[in-house]
Amino acid sequence: MKSLRFVAAEAFIRSGPSAVENLNCVSFNLYPLLFKACYLHEQADLLRVLVQAWPLPLLDLHSLLGQTVDCQMDLTSQTCRLCLESIMTGLKDYVLSPPRTYAKRLHLVDLTALKDVEHQPCRCRSTLGRWARTHLLTQMCYDTMVAMQDSDVSQSAFETSIDVRLNGFVTGRNYELVAQTFVLLRYCPLKLRFVSFRADSLSLKQLFYVLRLADTESILKLEIVHNVPLQATHLEVLLSKVAFPKLQSLTVPTGALDIRRLASDDDDDVMSIIGNQLAQLTDLTQLYVGFSTLTGHLRRLLNPLNTPLQCLELANCCLSRVDMTYLSNSLHSEFLVRLDISGHDIFSSFPTCFHKLLCRCSATLVSLALEECNIEDEHMDAFTDALACCQGLEELKLLGNPLTSEALQRLFSMLSVGFPKLKYIEMPVPRQCYSDSVTYPLNDTDLLLYNRELFQEVRGQLMGILEAAGRESVEVCSPLMGAYDPEINETSNELGVSMLKSFNSVIGNFIGCITEVNDRRSQDQDNN
């Protein structure tokens, strides 16, 4: 739905070259309206001019591109390359050009509202992902400083200071540019602030250096993922050397907190130290430590925290009954909004603790991930009984569990008559769609070797249960190869190269060890 004001704005931006000429006559309070109209219709040239002449103190994409009274369309998922390049180039022009109709008042630009999605709705079909936005904006900051060395630059450029908030993404490819921009940040009118900081394919030296350079007071979310060789001892050093006063979310790489890599005398101390360091992050409410072996050590990690966690990922962490007993009785259990305990045989290892955990977080839990938890038909009564109290659930993920179509029908029947907020279900491929010889958890070879016709038949029956209850809006899918990850999709080539280098390094070290052993044996034989 569009208001008459927005329709008039659309007509204005389509008036051709005269739109730029007439912009001087437009009232300052109409600039946000024109901004959204330009973005919607991909009028990149006019959008750049709008940003260059921006008369307001704030340029926030959430308020500009989100749902407004004049236009209900939410454009924050349209990461259109043409438009975003125009906005960032317009920021550079704003700094370097003298004031026009209105005085320079802009002091904050917030680009954090942009969301990367799999299917791009913009007409040009060309996107500017998170990594590319980071690269382009840092390049603009650097180019602005270079341009300010010219003698004919406006004096107002040296009097301008604009905080630019961005969800940053740093890898080996853009590390040098980002680090260089941070080094010169105090001299640049565009003050780059990472609200969310994602690091991938960096050495430890690069990670520590770029974090020391960044303005960590602005960082609310820190994601250290994939090819960053961070371990527990490194995390201890990082948290002791770099302050994150407002950090709300922390993600560590796969296996970063693996107790098997620690000396037996040190594992308790290191985990307790990290737990105490996390306790100093008083705003921390989200912790993602998947694929870290924490057997018997979860209490040491989480108990020092005074602020209860709302999002907790413990997938494939080899938790014991002691760990689950602690979690189900902890302060955190009463505040959990998103919980992932995939990769644990919950009904064989800790069924009572699992039931208690869901009961304690039932008032707040929105998302529950139980992938590859060996949930079978015989567990369905216990599972539905535990799940019944979580009526506020919006997402349920059950991939990789050996459930038959009959068990899934029972589950969907229960979900259809309750759970009014449920929106998304990741269902496993029914057990009978695979051959009898397949064992769980499924390996990569067996994963895709299932009867697709039978799967579609069962899926149709499950959807019929939802539709009969008026719940056809619930999305049901089975992303066997993993859900879409825009960051991995954007940097997959670099990630693959980095993984190949790591593999070659491991093989090289292995061959070196074998050669060394053979040389010693040969030397011993010669001595004998």
Side-chain angles (χ1 to χ4, degrees):
M1 188 69 179
K2 300 176 183 178
S3 68
L4 289 177
R5 277 167 31 103
F6 193 81
V7 173
E10 289 178 305
F12 178 86
I13 67 166
R14 289 170 173 168
S15 60
S18 62
V20 176
E21 300 172 3
N22 295 329
L23 193 60
N24 294 332
C25 304
V26 174
S27 175
F28 70 92
N29 61 332
L30 295 178
Y31 272 66
L33 208 62
L34 295 176
F35 185 97
K36 187 168 187 178
C38 284
Y39 201 95
L40 174 61
H41 296 285
E42 299 180 13
Q43 297 289 327
D45 293 339
L46 183 56
L47 188 60
R48 176 177 176 176
V49 176
L50 270 173
V51 175
Q52 181 183 354
W54 197 254
L56 303 171
L58 175 64
L59 196 159
D60 179 10
L61 293 192
H62 175 72
S63 58
L64 291 171
L65 300 181
Q67 291 185 356
T68 61
V69 175
D70 293 295
C71 180
Q72 296 296 314
M73 297 177 65
D74 187 346
L75 306 181
T76 53
S77 60
Q78 290 190 198
T79 53
C80 174
R81 177 177 292 273
L82 285 174
C83 293
L84 292 175
E85 286 179 346
S86 295
I87 292 171
M88 295 183 191
T89 307
L91 284 177
K92 174 187 170 184
D93 297 339
Y94 179 92
V95 171
L96 298 176
S97 61
R100 293 188 177 183
T101 307
Y102 298 101
K104 287 187 175 183
R105 300 173 57 203
L106 183 61
H107 63 81
L108 176 60
V109 175
D110 194 335
L111 307 177
T112 59
L114 293 171
K115 300 186 290 284
D116 297 295
V117 296
E118 184 173 6
H119 303 292
Q120 182 57 231
C122 76
R123 289 192 298 273
C124 73
R125 302 296 178 187
S126 180
T127 64
L128 198 70
R130 181 175 175 180
W131 184 92
R133 294 195 294 271
T134 304
H135 183 78
L136 179 60
L137 189 54
T138 50
Q139 184 68 58
M140 286 297 164
C141 292
Y142 184 77
D143 291 347
T144 300
M145 287 184 286
V146 171
M148 289 174 64
Q149 306 309 310
D150 294 340
S151 58
D152 60 344
V153 70
S154 171
Q155 180 60 33
S156 63
F158 299 92
E159 302 167 355
T160 302
S161 180
I162 305 171
D163 281 352
V164 184
R165 296 177 183 173
L166 178 74
N167 292 328
F169 188 4
V170 184
T171 67
R173 276 195 298 156
N174 66 353
Y175 163 78
E176 292 289 346
L177 180 60
V178 173
Q180 190 175 40
T181 302
F182 280 148
V183 167
L184 301 173
L185 194 61
R186 66 168 64 182
Y187 307 107
C188 182
L190 297 175
K191 309 295 184 183
L192 188 60
R193 316 290 187 194
F194 283 180
V195 175
S196 173
F197 192 117
R198 182 182 176 94
D200 193 359
S201 301
L202 295 177
S203 67
L204 288 175
K205 182 179 179 180
Q206 290 174 326
L207 173 67
F208 278 57
Y209 183 63
V210 75
L211 283 174
R212 290 292 294 269
L213 292 175
D215 176 18
T216 55
E217 285 194 5
S218 66
I219 297 178
L220 305 181
K221 183 176 184 179
L222 177 61
E223 300 172 278
I224 307 172
V225 297
H226 305 306
N227 288 314
V228 179
L230 187 79
Q231 297 182 18
T233 51
H234 305 135
L235 180 61
E236 177 191 345
V237 174
L238 176 64
L239 294 177
S240 64
K241 298 297 183 181
V242 183
F244 299 95
K246 298 180 181 179
L247 192 67
Q248 299 174 3
S249 176
L250 174 64
T251 301
V252 298
T254 297
L257 302 183
D258 195 334
I259 61 170
R260 296 172 299 180
R261 296 177 181 173
L262 300 173
S264 58
D265 297 333
D266 298 336
D267 56 357
D268 291 354
D269 291 338
V270 172
M271 284 298 170
S272 297
I273 291 172
I274 292 176
N276 289 325
Q277 290 174 328
L278 294 178
Q280 301 302 313
L281 306 174
T282 55
D283 292 335
L284 187 71
T285 58
Q286 302 177 23
L287 185 62
Y288 303 88
V289 293
F291 293 87
S292 289
T293 301
L294 296 172
T295 311
H297 290 72
L298 188 64
R299 183 186 187 93
R300 292 185 176 88
L301 185 65
L302 300 185
N303 195 55
L305 276 65
N306 297 314
T307 304
L309 294 174
Q310 296 178 15
C311 300
L312 180 60
E313 183 200 2
L314 296 170
N316 296 279
C317 286
C318 300
L319 300 180
S320 65
R321 182 180 285 109
V322 173
D323 296 314
M324 284 299 291
T325 300
Y326 160 72
L327 183 60
S328 61
N329 289 282
S330 69
L331 174 67
H332 306 292
S333 64
E334 298 180 354
F335 294 87
L336 289 172
V337 176
R338 309 183 74 86
L339 175 65
D340 186 348
I341 52 174
S342 300
H344 295 96
D345 195 341
I346 53 178
F347 288 107
S348 295
S349 302
F350 31 71
T352 305
C353 295
F354 173 71
H355 189 285
K356 183 175 183 179
L357 178 60
L358 290 195
C359 287
R360 285 176 63 89
C361 66
S362 60
T364 57
L365 194 65
V366 168
S367 175
L368 178 62
L370 299 170
E371 299 179 10
E372 296 186 347
C373 285
N374 198 31
I375 303 175
E376 301 184 69
D377 288 23
E378 62 188 81
H379 305 135
M380 191 49 59
D381 287 338
F383 180 52
T384 54
D385 186 41
L387 200 62
C389 57
C390 302
Q391 290 296 310
L393 205 64
E394 296 180 12
E395 294 181 355
L396 180 61
K397 301 178 181 181
L398 297 171
L399 290 179
N401 288 293
L403 293 168
T404 64
S405 59
E406 291 76 14
L408 288 172
Q409 288 173 2
R410 287 181 56 194
L411 176 62
F412 272 62
S413 296
M414 183 198 74
L415 295 174
S416 65
V417 296
F419 303 89
K421 298 181 180 180
L422 190 64
K423 300 176 183 177
Y424 181 80
I425 302 173
E426 287 186 4
M427 60 165 277
V429 175
R431 179 66 183 84
Q432 61 262 46
C433 292
Y434 289 103
S435 70
D436 295 337
S437 60
V438 166
T439 58
Y440 284 78
L442 299 167
N443 57 44
D444 292 340
T445 303
D446 295 330
L447 184 64
L448 300 177
L449 298 179
Y450 63 92
N451 187 329
R452 283 167 169 74
E453 291 185 4
L454 180 57
F455 171 74
Q456 291 299 331
E457 179 182 341
V458 174
R459 186 180 184 280
Q461 294 171 354
L462 298 177
M463 292 302 298
I465 294 174
L466 293 175
E467 291 171 2
R471 305 295 300 279
E472 59 274 358
S473 61
V474 177
E475 181 182 354
V476 179
C477 62
S478 301
L480 299 182
M481 303 306 293
Y484 176 75
D485 187 320
E487 282 82 18
I488 291 180
N489 183 67
E490 186 180 12
T491 59
S492 57
N493 291 337
E494 183 178 4
L495 180 60
V497 170
S498 182
M499 293 177 66
L500 185 59
K501 288 181 178 178
S502 299
F503 178 75
N504 288 338
S505 176
V506 171
I507 294 297
N509 293 336
F510 177 74
I511 294 174
C513 290
I514 296 296
T515 303
E516 184 178 351
V517 170
N518 287 335
D519 290 344
R520 287 178 180 176
R521 286 179 177 175
S522 299
Q523 187 175 1
D524 291 341
Q525 291 174 355
D526 292 343
N527 293 336
N528 294 332

